[in-house]
């Protein structure tokens, strides 16, 4: 994330326009992301700051907790439908832009509001609940043990590369009715779509091809999987809607859960108080996960909302058709609601990590089940599990939308 001189500001501190000096949320420097960057933007601009996304596309980054809540809770003012996005309508963003993989319109529930959103979201949530009741923890246990078997007799492992990076996708292949052998390549393609860059479109096309073939197969031979459930649902999704919802759940569920699993393991292995409290039963895994959700949410920045009219947000004059991206990590660290970020937030579930409002993440319980089961299996299988490096040696790499742990080296008894 590049450090730039802020554009000319009005009396209230809000920039007049996005200019060449506006902070870029992509490219050189973004991999060195830290909360200090958000703090600096907040000091310069307040609760809403001008930024440039990939391709120097202008957007507003919502930094304040209350400002994020206002956007999330008011779809009549801040729509999820990118067809009203002024820069796209006026031809300044091409359909082939990597940015479109994250903010472009698709025939899925996150791209729409009102009744169309309710119809499509109902199909997704009904089938997610059905999947959750069909042994999701059993699938996690199977694949977690399978992953651990590969390194259990070595006494060492990297819990990112060897465990968290692929486990959620392996579970999703079972849930979707895909072959497990597709898991690793689909995980890599999903990561590239989120990361952006020149290869994002190619990886997205690969995912869509695999899911298109899956949908066709399940129409001919339905089963008890998520894909078949979408096809059979009374909402009567058409072919494009089915494939795009498979894409939506596959990419978001894997990338967010794998990131959250890695961060949860990081917390319990770098802070022995959390690990001892967890093992002794003084806290449960959901409490640990909530702490991670506050401090390192799996999506640091959530795309995107579009202003339906000229309005003011955090003192900034947002224009009709403007793109806003939601700083979930920044909002969670807003000193206006959390003056001391070093103080634990145990028992407080009001973080922004699951988004909010009508588009709040519908798969929270499934993600929680994957993480709880995976950590439980890991702790039982690997006695004496401990970090193999000093905590301050752990590094992360950020893109526009997320910050991912690079590695988590551990040692354990054999």
């Amino acid at each position: 994330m590049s450090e730039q001189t802020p554009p000319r500001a009005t009396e209230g501190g809000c920039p007049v326009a996005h200019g060449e000096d506006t902070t870029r949320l992509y490219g050189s420097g973004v991999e060195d992301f830290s909360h200090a960057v958000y703090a600096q933007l907040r000091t310069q601009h307040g609760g809403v700051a001008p930024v440039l996304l990939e391709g120097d596309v202008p957007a507003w980054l919502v930094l304040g907790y209350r400002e994020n809540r206002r956007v999330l809770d008011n779809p009549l003012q801040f729509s999820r439908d990118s067809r009203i996005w002024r820069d796209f309508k006026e031809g300044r963003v091409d359909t082939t832009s990597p940015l479109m993989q994250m903010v472009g319109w698709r025939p899925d529930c996150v791209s729409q509001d009102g009744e169309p959103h309710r119809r499509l979201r109902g199909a997704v949530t009904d089938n997610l609940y059905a999947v959750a009741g069909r042994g999701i923890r059993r699938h996690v246990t199977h694949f977690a043990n399978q992953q651990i078997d590969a390194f259990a007799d070595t006494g060492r492992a990297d819990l990112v590369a060897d465990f968290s990076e692929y486990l959620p996708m392996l579970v999703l292949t079972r849930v979707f009715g895909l072959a497990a052998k597709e898991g690793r390549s689909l995980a890599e393609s999903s990561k590239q779509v989120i990361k952006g860059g020149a290869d994002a479109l190619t990886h997205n096309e690969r995912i869509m091809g695999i899911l298109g073939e899956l949908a066709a197969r399940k129409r001919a031979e339905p089963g008890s999987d998520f894909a078949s459930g979408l096809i059979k649902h009374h909402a009567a999704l058409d072919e494009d809607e089915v494939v795009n919802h498979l894409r939506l759940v596959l990419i978001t569920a894997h990338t967010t859960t794998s990131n959250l699993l890695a961060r949860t393991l990081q917390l319990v292995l770098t802070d022995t108080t959390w690990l001892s409290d967890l093992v002794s039963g003084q806290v449960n895994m959901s409490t640990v996960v909530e702490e991670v959700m506050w401090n390192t949410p799996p999506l640091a920045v959530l795309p995107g909302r579009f202003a339906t009219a000229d309005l003011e947000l955090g003192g900034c004059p947002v224009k009709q058709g403007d793109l806003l991206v939601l700083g979930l990590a920044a909002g969670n660290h807003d000193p206006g609601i959390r003056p001391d970020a070093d103080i634990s937030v145990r028992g407080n579930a009001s973080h922004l990590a699951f988004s909010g409002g009508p588009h709040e993440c519908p798969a929270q319980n499934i993600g929680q089940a994957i993480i709880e089961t995976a950590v439980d299996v890991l702790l039982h299988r690997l006695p004496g599990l401990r970090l193999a490096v000093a905590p301050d040696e752990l590094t992360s790499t950020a893109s526009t939308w997320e910050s991912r742990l690079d590695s988590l080296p551990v040692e354990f008894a054999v």
Side-chain angles (χ1 to χ4, degrees):
M1 185 178 301
S2 58
E3 297 297 319
Q4 307 285 349
T5 302
R8 183 169 56 89
T10 62
E11 182 179 349
C14 188
V16 173
H18 295 72
E20 291 184 0
D21 293 333
T22 305
T23 297
R24 288 174 171 83
L25 290 187
Y26 75 97
S28 177
V30 72
E31 65 275 4
D32 298 324
F33 160 88
S34 71
H35 282 292
V37 176
Y38 290 152
Q40 182 177 348
L41 286 172
R42 186 180 287 111
T43 298
Q44 292 172 346
H45 305 293
V48 181
V51 294
L52 296 173
L53 305 180
E54 191 163 2
D56 272 3
V57 174
W60 298 104
L61 174 62
V62 186
L63 298 162
Y65 182 90
R66 293 175 179 85
E67 288 84 356
N68 271 286
R69 283 293 182 194
R70 178 183 164 191
V71 174
L72 291 168
D73 293 339
N74 290 279
L76 293 179
Q77 291 183 317
F78 304 97
S79 174
R80 193 60 181 84
D81 190 338
S82 65
R83 291 174 294 188
I84 69 171
W85 183 15
R86 189 177 59 260
D87 285 303
F88 179 70
K89 288 172 62 178
E90 296 178 358
R92 288 185 289 276
V93 181
D94 192 80
T95 55
T96 60
S97 166
L99 193 59
M100 294 298 287
Q101 304 308 317
M102 297 299 291
V103 303
W105 188 90
R106 295 176 181 275
D108 61 26
C109 59
V110 300
S111 294
Q112 303 179 65
D113 298 302
E115 184 52 39
H117 168 257
R118 286 187 287 272
R119 166 184 162 260
L120 295 171
R121 183 180 170 97
V124 172
T125 55
D126 287 349
N127 284 287
L128 285 175
Y129 292 144
V131 163
R134 295 193 192 116
I136 191 79
R137 292 179 185 270
R138 176 168 47 84
H139 298 327
V140 179
T141 300
H142 168 75
F143 286 114
N145 277 305
Q146 186 181 82
Q147 299 243 99
I148 294 168
D149 286 343
F151 59 76
D153 61 351
T154 68
R156 302 182 67 88
D158 174 0
L159 293 184
V160 172
D162 299 332
F163 193 68
S164 66
E165 191 77 2
Y166 299 107
L167 178 59
M169 184 61 79
L170 293 172
V171 175
L172 287 168
T173 59
R174 185 66 59 85
V175 167
F176 274 48
L178 285 161
K181 64 182 181 181
E182 302 273 21
R184 287 185 176 269
S185 60
L186 281 170
E188 181 61 28
S189 288
S190 296
K191 183 169 69 174
Q192 292 301 320
V193 169
I194 297 285
K195 182 179 179 181
D199 294 332
L201 181 59
T202 299
H203 282 280
N204 186 72
E205 289 175 345
R206 182 180 181 280
I207 292 171
M208 293 294 283
I210 292 172
L211 296 179
E213 293 173 2
L214 173 66
R217 187 166 69 249
K218 292 302 178 180
R219 284 190 186 277
E221 301 175 2
S224 59
D225 50 80
F226 181 73
S228 298
L230 282 180
I231 292 168
K232 295 183 292 186
H233 194 269
H234 60 78
L237 276 62
D238 64 28
E239 187 72 17
D240 283 346
E241 290 171 339
V242 168
V243 175
N244 275 279
H245 281 94
L246 291 174
R247 171 195 181 272
L248 170 66
V249 175
L250 184 88
I251 293 176
T252 56
H254 168 70
T255 55
T256 57
T257 306
S258 63
N259 197 356
L260 184 57
L261 176 55
R263 293 298 187 181
T264 300
L265 290 169
Q266 179 187 13
L267 177 61
V268 299
L269 291 171
T270 56
D271 188 334
T272 55
T273 300
W274 282 103
L275 180 59
S276 61
D277 286 353
L278 185 63
V279 172
S280 66
Q282 294 184 57
V283 301
N284 57 29
M285 183 53 63
S286 62
T287 303
V288 180
V289 173
E290 292 291 354
E291 189 81 10
V292 177
M293 287 289 200
W294 274 101
N295 294 325
T296 51
L299 277 182
V301 178
L302 179 70
R305 298 294 190 273
F306 306 90
T308 60
D310 292 354
L311 51 84
E312 185 177 283
L313 179 68
C316 284
V318 176
K319 300 299 182 183
Q320 182 177 358
D322 278 0
L323 166 62
L324 301 96
V325 293
L326 304 175
L328 306 183
N332 281 350
H333 284 251
D334 183 348
I337 58 102
R338 195 178 174 194
D340 188 347
D342 292 329
I343 295 178
S344 173
V345 287
R346 292 191 187 195
N348 187 337
S350 58
H351 55 76
L352 298 169
F354 285 130
S355 177
H359 290 279
E360 184 173 355
C361 174
Q364 300 173 32
N365 292 339
I366 292 179
Q368 186 87 8
I370 291 174
I371 291 167
E372 288 180 0
T373 308
V375 175
D376 185 60
V377 171
L378 195 72
L379 293 179
H380 279 87
R381 284 287 308 272
L382 305 178
L385 182 66
R386 61 191 178 277
L387 199 61
V389 298
D392 59 8
E393 292 183 38
L394 298 176
T395 60
S396 300
T397 299
S399 63
T400 299
W401 313 109
E402 62 177 0
S403 176
R404 299 186 76 87
L405 189 64
D406 293 323
S407 65
L408 190 62
V410 295
E411 298 172 337
F412 49 88
V414 177

